Amino acid sequence: MERIVLCTGNAGKMAELKALLPPSVQLLGLADVGLPADLPETGHTLQANALQKARFAHERCGLPCIADDTGLEVDTLHGEPGVYSARYAGEQRDAAANMAKLLGALHGVQDRRARFRTVLAFIREGVEETFEGRVDGTIALAPRGLGGFGYDPVFIPAGSTLTFAEMDKAAKNAISHRARAVEALVRSLTARYR
Ligand code: IMP
C-alpha cells in the first residue's frame, strides 16, 4: 500500500481524488501527518504555490505529497485574478464579493474570454513533477445557478450555454480544470503504483 498526502483542508478535493486513484494508494490528509490545514502559499504563480505547499509537507513528513492551486484567468484583465483568485476582493476570501468585483471590472466589456487553470504538484523522494488542467470559457454578465462554489456562477465553459453553477456536478467534473489536472496525475500514478 502506497501512502500519499494530499495537501488540502478541503474534504471535497480529498473525496474527488480518492475516487480516482488506484486502490493500492492510501490517501492521507494534512491532519493525518500532524500538519496544519493551511500551508504557506506566497508564490506569484499557480505552479510556485502548488510546489511550495507540496515541498512544505514533503520536507516535514517524508511521504509522497500532492498539492494544488487554481486560478481564474481573464484575458482582458491580463490574466487577473489568476493566482490571486481566492483573495481578489480581500482577505475574507468571499465568493460573492470576488464575483461582484470581477463583474465590476468587466462592466461594459465585450471580450469576456477566461479560463480556469489548476496546477497539481507531486513530490516523491525529493523528485518534483507538475500536472496542469484547464478549461476555456467566458464570464457571464451576471451570476447564474446555485451549484458548485467559488466563481462557478459567472463561468460559462466553451461549448455550453450554462454556467458551471447551473450544470450538475457530473457534467462539471467531466470537463473541469481540476478534473483534467487530476486525470493527468492519476495516469502517471496508475502507471507507477498499479
Ligand atoms: P484554490 O486554489 O482551490 O484554493 O482556489 C483558488 C480560487 O479559485 C478560490 O477563490 C476558489 O473558490 C476558486 N476556484 C477554484 N476552483 C474552482 C472551481 O472549480 N469553480 C469555481 N471557482 C473555483
Side-chain angles (χ1 to χ4, degrees):
M1 184 69 100
E2 178 79 16
R3 293 189 304 157
I4 300 181
V5 177
L6 179 62
C7 302
T8 183
N10 181 326
K13 286 184 186 174
M14 196 80 185
E16 190 178 295
L17 191 58
K18 212 169 227 167
L20 290 166
L21 286 170
S24 60
V25 171
Q26 183 191 2
L27 205 57
L28 304 176
L30 287 165
D32 297 322
V33 291
L35 290 173
D38 249 340
L39 300 189
E41 43 180 330
T42 53
H44 298 296
T45 62
L46 298 175
Q47 171 143 343
N49 277 342
L51 280 168
Q52 185 182 11
K53 289 185 279 188
R55 279 179 195 140
F56 183 96
H58 184 66
E59 282 163 9
R60 282 158 183 80
C61 71
L63 292 170
C65 291
I66 297 170
D68 75 329
D69 204 30
T70 295
L72 175 62
E73 301 170 339
V74 179
D75 286 357
T76 198
L77 301 178
H78 311 290
E80 281 192 10
V83 69
Y84 308 108
S85 294
R87 296 175 172 82
Y88 188 43
E91 277 305 314
Q92 73 278 17
R93 304 194 212 181
D94 182 69
N98 286 341
M99 286 190 287
K101 181 170 175 182
L102 180 62
L103 292 175
L106 293 179
H107 184 71
V109 174
Q110 292 279 329
D111 179 2
R112 305 181 77 84
R113 286 174 297 169
R115 76 202 46 76
F116 273 116
R117 206 156 62 82
T118 292
V119 175
L120 281 174
F122 177 60
I123 307 182
R124 184 176 186 272
E125 290 175 0
V127 179
E128 301 182 347
E129 289 174 272
T130 57
F131 303 87
E132 186 181 308
R134 57 187 273 175
V135 56
D136 290 297
T138 54
I139 301 300
L141 293 170
R144 295 195 325 246
L146 299 172
F149 68 99
Y151 293 88
D152 278 345
V154 294
F155 186 79
I156 305 168
S160 172
T161 54
L162 303 178
T163 67
F164 263 164
E166 292 175 309
M167 298 169 75
D168 64 41
K169 220 180 193 164
K172 177 187 167 188
N173 283 341
I175 59 167
S176 86
H177 45 300
R178 195 169 14 263
R180 286 173 175 164
V182 167
E183 278 160 19
L185 169 73
V186 167
R187 269 198 299 278
S188 170
L189 292 182
T190 306
R192 227 168 303 176
Y193 294 132
R194 77 177 141 220

